[in-house]
PDB file of all heavy atoms in Angstrom:
ATOM      1  N   GLU A  14       6.150 -28.660  15.919  1.00 89.00           N
ATOM      2  CA  GLU A  14       6.137 -27.230  16.256  1.00 89.00           C
ATOM      3  C   GLU A  14       7.292 -26.944  17.228  1.00 89.00           C
ATOM      4  O   GLU A  14       7.537 -27.698  18.158  1.00 89.00           O
ATOM      5  CB  GLU A  14       4.816 -26.840  16.920  1.00 89.00           C
ATOM      6  CG  GLU A  14       3.554 -27.489  16.342  1.00 89.00           C
ATOM      7  CD  GLU A  14       3.248 -27.116  14.900  1.00 89.00           C
ATOM      8  OE1 GLU A  14       3.314 -25.931  14.582  1.00 89.00           O
ATOM      9  OE2 GLU A  14       2.956 -28.027  14.101  1.00 89.00           O
ATOM     10  N   LYS A  18      13.020 -25.405  12.866  1.00 96.00           N
ATOM     11  CA  LYS A  18      13.266 -25.687  11.443  1.00 96.00           C
ATOM     12  C   LYS A  18      13.683 -24.449  10.666  1.00 96.00           C
ATOM     13  O   LYS A  18      14.631 -24.498   9.882  1.00 96.00           O
ATOM     14  CB  LYS A  18      11.997 -26.227  10.770  1.00 96.00           C
ATOM     15  CG  LYS A  18      11.564 -27.566  11.248  1.00 96.00           C
ATOM     16  CD  LYS A  18      10.322 -28.026  10.495  1.00 96.00           C
ATOM     17  CE  LYS A  18       9.192 -27.020  10.508  1.00 96.00           C
ATOM     18  NZ  LYS A  18       8.717 -26.598  11.818  1.00 96.00           N
ATOM     19  N   ARG A  40       9.733 -22.334   1.542  1.00 96.00           N
ATOM     20  CA  ARG A  40       8.895 -23.075   2.482  1.00 96.00           C
ATOM     21  C   ARG A  40       7.528 -23.182   1.855  1.00 96.00           C
ATOM     22  O   ARG A  40       7.151 -22.334   1.052  1.00 96.00           O
ATOM     23  CB  ARG A  40       8.815 -22.351   3.825  1.00 96.00           C
ATOM     24  CG  ARG A  40       8.124 -21.000   3.765  1.00 96.00           C
ATOM     25  CD  ARG A  40       8.353 -20.219   5.032  1.00 96.00           C
ATOM     26  NE  ARG A  40       7.592 -20.744   6.135  1.00 96.00           N
ATOM     27  CZ  ARG A  40       6.386 -20.305   6.502  1.00 96.00           C
ATOM     28  NH1 ARG A  40       5.786 -19.342   5.821  1.00 96.00           N
ATOM     29  NH2 ARG A  40       5.776 -20.805   7.540  1.00 96.00           N
ATOM     30  N   GLU A  41       6.850 -24.262   2.206  1.00 93.00           N
ATOM     31  CA  GLU A  41       5.511 -24.371   1.646  1.00 93.00           C
ATOM     32  C   GLU A  41       4.603 -23.344   2.317  1.00 93.00           C
ATOM     33  O   GLU A  41       4.674 -23.205   3.530  1.00 93.00           O
ATOM     34  CB  GLU A  41       4.976 -25.780   1.874  1.00 93.00           C
ATOM     35  CG  GLU A  41       5.772 -26.794   1.087  1.00 93.00           C
ATOM     36  CD  GLU A  41       5.066 -28.135   1.043  1.00 93.00           C
ATOM     37  OE1 GLU A  41       4.156 -28.385   1.841  1.00 93.00           O
ATOM     38  OE2 GLU A  41       5.443 -28.940   0.199  1.00 93.00           O
ATOM     39  N   ARG A  52      -3.429 -22.225   1.307  1.00 95.00           N
ATOM     40  CA  ARG A  52      -2.951 -22.203   2.683  1.00 95.00           C
ATOM     41  C   ARG A  52      -3.894 -21.414   3.615  1.00 95.00           C
ATOM     42  O   ARG A  52      -4.119 -21.792   4.756  1.00 95.00           O
ATOM     43  CB  ARG A  52      -1.549 -21.591   2.724  1.00 95.00           C
ATOM     44  CG  ARG A  52      -0.967 -21.492   4.116  1.00 95.00           C
ATOM     45  CD  ARG A  52       0.310 -20.680   4.073  1.00 95.00           C
ATOM     46  NE  ARG A  52       0.739 -20.296   5.391  1.00 95.00           N
ATOM     47  CZ  ARG A  52       1.538 -21.018   6.154  1.00 95.00           C
ATOM     48  NH1 ARG A  52       2.007 -22.159   5.713  1.00 95.00           N
ATOM     49  NH2 ARG A  52       1.888 -20.616   7.346  1.00 95.00           N
ATOM     50  N   TYR A  72      -3.299 -29.789   1.245  1.00 97.00           N
ATOM     51  CA  TYR A  72      -1.838 -29.683   1.405  1.00 97.00           C
ATOM     52  C   TYR A  72      -1.135 -30.217   0.155  1.00 97.00           C
ATOM     53  O   TYR A  72      -0.149 -29.647  -0.316  1.00 97.00           O
ATOM     54  CB  TYR A  72      -1.347 -30.446   2.636  1.00 97.00           C
ATOM     55  CG  TYR A  72      -1.406 -29.641   3.915  1.00 97.00           C
ATOM     56  CD1 TYR A  72      -2.246 -30.008   4.963  1.00 97.00           C
ATOM     57  CD2 TYR A  72      -0.618 -28.503   4.093  1.00 97.00           C
ATOM     58  CE1 TYR A  72      -2.301 -29.270   6.138  1.00 97.00           C
ATOM     59  CE2 TYR A  72      -0.665 -27.762   5.266  1.00 97.00           C
ATOM     60  CZ  TYR A  72      -1.511 -28.154   6.282  1.00 97.00           C
ATOM     61  OH  TYR A  72      -1.569 -27.418   7.437  1.00 97.00           O
ATOM     62  N   ARG A  76       1.182 -28.147  -2.365  1.00 98.00           N
ATOM     63  CA  ARG A  76       2.540 -28.668  -2.600  1.00 98.00           C
ATOM     64  C   ARG A  76       2.822 -28.779  -4.091  1.00 98.00           C
ATOM     65  O   ARG A  76       3.881 -28.407  -4.572  1.00 98.00           O
ATOM     66  CB  ARG A  76       2.648 -30.041  -1.924  1.00 98.00           C
ATOM     67  CG  ARG A  76       3.963 -30.764  -2.155  1.00 98.00           C
ATOM     68  CD  ARG A  76       4.165 -31.857  -1.112  1.00 98.00           C
ATOM     69  NE  ARG A  76       4.104 -31.274   0.206  1.00 98.00           N
ATOM     70  CZ  ARG A  76       3.283 -31.685   1.189  1.00 98.00           C
ATOM     71  NH1 ARG A  76       2.506 -32.727   1.006  1.00 98.00           N
ATOM     72  NH2 ARG A  76       3.265 -31.065   2.336  1.00 98.00           N
ATOM     73  N   ARG A  98       9.636 -27.849   5.457  1.00 97.00           N
ATOM     74  CA  ARG A  98       8.463 -28.744   5.369  1.00 97.00           C
ATOM     75  C   ARG A  98       8.188 -29.166   3.918  1.00 97.00           C
ATOM     76  O   ARG A  98       8.246 -28.368   2.988  1.00 97.00           O
ATOM     77  CB  ARG A  98       7.184 -28.100   5.914  1.00 97.00           C
ATOM     78  CG  ARG A  98       7.165 -27.883   7.413  1.00 97.00           C
ATOM     79  CD  ARG A  98       5.727 -27.646   7.885  1.00 97.00           C
ATOM     80  NE  ARG A  98       5.650 -27.305   9.297  1.00 97.00           N
ATOM     81  CZ  ARG A  98       5.710 -28.201  10.284  1.00 97.00           C
ATOM     82  NH1 ARG A  98       5.862 -29.476  10.008  1.00 97.00           N
ATOM     83  NH2 ARG A  98       5.619 -27.821  11.541  1.00 97.00           N
ATOM     84  N   SER A 103       3.049 -33.943   5.658  1.00 98.00           N
ATOM     85  CA  SER A 103       1.737 -34.546   5.395  1.00 98.00           C
ATOM     86  C   SER A 103       1.668 -35.976   5.931  1.00 98.00           C
ATOM     87  O   SER A 103       0.633 -36.407   6.441  1.00 98.00           O
ATOM     88  CB  SER A 103       1.447 -34.565   3.894  1.00 98.00           C
ATOM     89  OG  SER A 103       1.090 -33.281   3.452  1.00 98.00           O
ATOM     90  N   TYR A 106       1.576 -35.488   9.918  1.00 96.00           N
ATOM     91  CA  TYR A 106       0.394 -34.794  10.464  1.00 96.00           C
ATOM     92  C   TYR A 106      -0.912 -35.444   9.987  1.00 96.00           C
ATOM     93  O   TYR A 106      -1.785 -35.755  10.786  1.00 96.00           O
ATOM     94  CB  TYR A 106       0.388 -33.306  10.058  1.00 96.00           C
ATOM     95  CG  TYR A 106       1.330 -32.428  10.856  1.00 96.00           C
ATOM     96  CD1 TYR A 106       2.704 -32.450  10.622  1.00 96.00           C
ATOM     97  CD2 TYR A 106       0.855 -31.558  11.832  1.00 96.00           C
ATOM     98  CE1 TYR A 106       3.571 -31.632  11.334  1.00 96.00           C
ATOM     99  CE2 TYR A 106       1.728 -30.726  12.545  1.00 96.00           C
ATOM    100  CZ  TYR A 106       3.083 -30.770  12.287  1.00 96.00           C
ATOM    101  OH  TYR A 106       3.930 -29.968  12.993  1.00 96.00           O
ATOM    102  N   GLN A 107      -1.044 -35.583   8.665  1.00 97.00           N
ATOM    103  CA  GLN A 107      -2.313 -36.115   8.158  1.00 97.00           C
ATOM    104  C   GLN A 107      -2.298 -37.662   8.174  1.00 97.00           C
ATOM    105  O   GLN A 107      -3.254 -38.281   8.619  1.00 97.00           O
ATOM    106  CB  GLN A 107      -2.596 -35.606   6.733  1.00 97.00           C
ATOM    107  CG  GLN A 107      -3.116 -34.173   6.664  1.00 97.00           C
ATOM    108  CD  GLN A 107      -2.073 -33.136   7.044  1.00 97.00           C
ATOM    109  OE1 GLN A 107      -0.948 -33.171   6.535  1.00 97.00           O
ATOM    110  NE2 GLN A 107      -2.419 -32.220   7.929  1.00 97.00           N
ATOM    111  N   ARG A 154       4.483 -15.060  17.253  1.00 74.00           N
ATOM    112  CA  ARG A 154       4.102 -16.122  16.331  1.00 74.00           C
ATOM    113  C   ARG A 154       2.577 -16.194  16.198  1.00 74.00           C
ATOM    114  O   ARG A 154       1.854 -16.179  17.183  1.00 74.00           O
ATOM    115  CB  ARG A 154       4.628 -17.445  16.878  1.00 74.00           C
ATOM    116  CG  ARG A 154       4.598 -18.581  15.908  1.00 74.00           C
ATOM    117  CD  ARG A 154       5.267 -19.779  16.573  1.00 74.00           C
ATOM    118  NE  ARG A 154       5.302 -20.908  15.682  1.00 74.00           N
ATOM    119  CZ  ARG A 154       4.260 -21.691  15.455  1.00 74.00           C
ATOM    120  NH1 ARG A 154       3.115 -21.444  16.038  1.00 74.00           N
ATOM    121  NH2 ARG A 154       4.382 -22.724  14.626  1.00 74.00           N
ATOM    122  N   ASN A 157      -2.004 -20.773  14.410  1.00 74.00           N
ATOM    123  CA  ASN A 157      -2.840 -21.258  13.313  1.00 74.00           C
ATOM    124  C   ASN A 157      -3.723 -22.433  13.756  1.00 74.00           C
ATOM    125  O   ASN A 157      -3.656 -22.888  14.892  1.00 74.00           O
ATOM    126  CB  ASN A 157      -1.979 -21.601  12.085  1.00 74.00           C
ATOM    127  CG  ASN A 157      -1.090 -22.807  12.310  1.00 74.00           C
ATOM    128  OD1 ASN A 157      -1.538 -23.835  12.796  1.00 74.00           O
ATOM    129  ND2 ASN A 157       0.180 -22.682  11.948  1.00 74.00           N
ATOM    130  N   LEU A 159      -3.682 -25.553  13.177  1.00 74.00           N
ATOM    131  CA  LEU A 159      -3.054 -26.782  13.668  1.00 74.00           C
ATOM    132  C   LEU A 159      -2.390 -26.604  15.029  1.00 74.00           C
ATOM    133  O   LEU A 159      -2.261 -27.544  15.789  1.00 74.00           O
ATOM    134  CB  LEU A 159      -2.077 -27.343  12.634  1.00 74.00           C
ATOM    135  CG  LEU A 159      -2.855 -28.130  11.578  1.00 74.00           C
ATOM    136  CD1 LEU A 159      -3.093 -27.315  10.348  1.00 74.00           C
ATOM    137  CD2 LEU A 159      -2.239 -29.452  11.268  1.00 74.00           C
TER     138      LEU A 159
HETATM  139  P1  TYD B 301       3.462 -23.021   9.586  1.00 78.95           P
HETATM  140  O1  TYD B 301       3.155 -21.744  10.229  1.00 78.95           O
HETATM  141  O2  TYD B 301       4.106 -23.041   8.251  1.00 78.95           O
HETATM  142  O3  TYD B 301       4.181 -24.018  10.562  1.00 78.95           O
HETATM  143  P2  TYD B 301       5.609 -24.088  11.164  1.00 78.95           P
HETATM  144  O4  TYD B 301       5.977 -22.699  11.545  1.00 78.95           O
HETATM  145  O5  TYD B 301       5.374 -25.020  12.309  1.00 78.95           O
HETATM  146  O6  TYD B 301       6.424 -24.714  10.072  1.00 78.95           O
HETATM  147  O7  TYD B 301       2.093 -23.797   9.550  1.00 78.95           O
HETATM  148  C1  TYD B 301       1.989 -24.955   8.915  1.00 78.95           C
HETATM  149  C2  TYD B 301       1.155 -25.893   9.747  1.00 78.95           C
HETATM  150  O8  TYD B 301       0.633 -26.861   8.876  1.00 78.95           O
HETATM  151  C3  TYD B 301       1.958 -26.638  10.790  1.00 78.95           C
HETATM  152  O9  TYD B 301       1.185 -26.770  11.956  1.00 78.95           O
HETATM  153  C4  TYD B 301       2.170 -27.994  10.178  1.00 78.95           C
HETATM  154  C5  TYD B 301       0.994 -28.156   9.276  1.00 78.95           C
HETATM  155  N1  TYD B 301       1.240 -28.971   8.062  1.00 78.95           N
HETATM  156  C6  TYD B 301       0.526 -30.145   7.881  1.00 78.95           C
HETATM  157  O10 TYD B 301      -0.269 -30.535   8.740  1.00 78.95           O
HETATM  158  N2  TYD B 301       0.720 -30.869   6.737  1.00 78.95           N
HETATM  159  C7  TYD B 301       1.572 -30.470   5.761  1.00 78.95           C
HETATM  160  O11 TYD B 301       1.725 -31.139   4.718  1.00 78.95           O
HETATM  161  C8  TYD B 301       2.301 -29.232   5.961  1.00 78.95           C
HETATM  162  C9  TYD B 301       3.255 -28.732   4.918  1.00 78.95           C
HETATM  163  C10 TYD B 301       2.095 -28.514   7.120  1.00 78.95           C
END
Side-chain angles (χ1 to χ4, degrees):
E14 321 296 314
K18 293 181 307 303
R40 65 193 287 266
E41 294 193 343
R52 179 189 167 90
Y72 274 115
R76 176 161 303 126
R98 291 197 185 280
S103 284
Y106 282 76
Q107 282 69 49
R154 193 175 181 281
N157 68 48
L159 279 99

